[in-house]
Amino acid sequence: FFSFGYEKERYERIFGKDSRRGIMLASVESSSIATILTSPLWVIKTRMLLSIPKPGHGAINYQKIIKEIYHHHGWKGYFRGLELGLLLSTYGMCQMTLFETLKLLAPSNDPCITSTYCGIVSKWITSFALYPIGVIKTRIQQNQYVECRTAKYQGIMDCCKKTAMLEGFRGFYKGFVASSLRSIPSNAIFFFFLEYYKRLFENLGMF
């Protein structure tokens, strides 16, 4: 969000205040930067969550996971699924574009409450639209893809086909309800205090 705010201000000087084009470009740039920088953390986290310790091999820890990834794939292994991650970088663009658009359309008697509702709606719509990409990305990154002699998934399209054939439409939305119950309330709180402190600092002349 720091990057988004900085890029948004930069594009406002080019395209004008509250320009949708500026908002979209700022969202894409900030999301892409964050995706590239945090990709190794997501790969390691995914492996940690899905790895099952083998008898006699001791507990799985971060050190073992990091070594295992490097052993199988080299440094590129820490960026597995990056292409899907960059595709998911449109998440920030979609959410922030929706958020800013909803704020312009919504009544602004109480900016904090308006930001909260706009944050909830923009989060849910964006999550529903892009959630399947996250499911495929996680399955591509999981341990079965590394340790099996025959890869479970031969690629992104193969993963999509097998998910659709074996699990149907619902397979692309596994865990969506739990994810929504976790993320939507946190987003509501975040956007409420984002607007609150933004206006507080503006009144203090800090922005």
Side-chain angles (χ1 to χ4, degrees), residues 51-52 54 68 72 142-150:
S51 294
I52 300 175
K54 295 179 180 179
E68 179 187 86
H72 285 286
Q142 65 181 322
N143 270 342
Q144 289 170 302
Y145 192 81
V146 173
E147 295 180 354
C148 294
R149 292 184 179 180
T150 302

Side-chain angles (χ1 to χ4, degrees), residues 4-207:
F4 172 76
Y6 174 81
E7 296 296 336
K8 182 186 173 186
E9 289 181 4
R10 183 165 68 88
Y11 282 115
E12 280 182 346
R13 292 194 292 267
I14 299 172
F15 301 110
K17 187 174 177 61
D18 294 326
S19 167
R20 291 189 179 184
R21 184 185 300 178
I23 292 171
M24 291 177 66
L25 289 173
S27 298
V28 170
E29 285 190 21
S30 58
S31 297
S32 297
I33 292 170
T35 298
I36 293 171
L37 292 177
T38 60
S39 180
L41 299 177
W42 282 106
V43 173
I44 293 168
K45 174 190 173 183
T46 301
R47 296 286 174 84
M48 285 292 295
L49 290 173
L50 299 176
S51 294
I52 300 175
K54 295 179 180 179
H57 286 72
I60 293 174
N61 55 43
Y62 288 105
Q63 187 176 6
K64 285 185 177 180
I65 292 294
I66 292 170
K67 288 181 177 179
E68 179 187 86
I69 295 171
Y70 186 80
H71 174 73
H72 285 286
H73 304 290
W75 66 269
K76 291 183 179 179
Y78 300 110
F79 294 91
R80 290 186 68 81
L82 179 61
E83 59 270 48
L84 289 172
L86 289 173
L87 187 58
L88 279 172
S89 68
T90 58
Y91 193 106
M93 178 193 73
C94 294
Q95 182 179 356
M96 295 310 298
T97 302
L98 270 172
F99 174 73
E100 295 288 349
T101 302
L102 289 171
K103 277 183 64 180
L104 293 175
L105 297 175
S108 56
N109 295 331
D110 188 332
C112 293
I113 299 299
T114 299
S115 289
T116 301
Y117 285 126
C118 291
I120 291 173
V121 174
S122 62
K123 175 66 177 180
W124 191 90
I125 293 174
T126 306
S127 296
F128 185 82
L130 299 179
Y131 193 82
I133 299 175
V135 171
I136 300 303
K137 176 188 172 185
T138 301
R139 294 187 176 193
I140 290 294
Q141 291 177 337
Q142 65 181 322
N143 270 342
Q144 289 170 302
Y145 192 81
V146 173
E147 295 180 354
C148 294
R149 292 184 179 180
T150 302
K152 182 174 182 179
Y153 303 117
Q154 302 303 316
I156 295 173
M157 292 307 299
D158 183 55
C159 182
C160 292
K161 288 179 181 178
K162 287 179 178 177
T163 300
M165 289 176 60
L166 298 175
E167 303 172 61
F169 177 78
R170 292 184 178 181
F172 295 99
Y173 285 92
K174 278 193 170 181
F176 178 73
V177 173
S179 177
S180 297
L181 291 174
R182 176 189 64 83
S183 62
I184 289 179
S186 64
N187 264 258
I189 295 170
F190 173 83
F191 281 107
F192 176 87
F193 283 104
L194 175 69
E195 188 68 31
Y196 175 81
Y197 283 110
K198 178 183 175 183
R199 293 190 171 274
L200 176 63
F201 291 144
E202 284 177 349
N203 292 334
L204 293 175
M206 298 178 67
F207 284 117

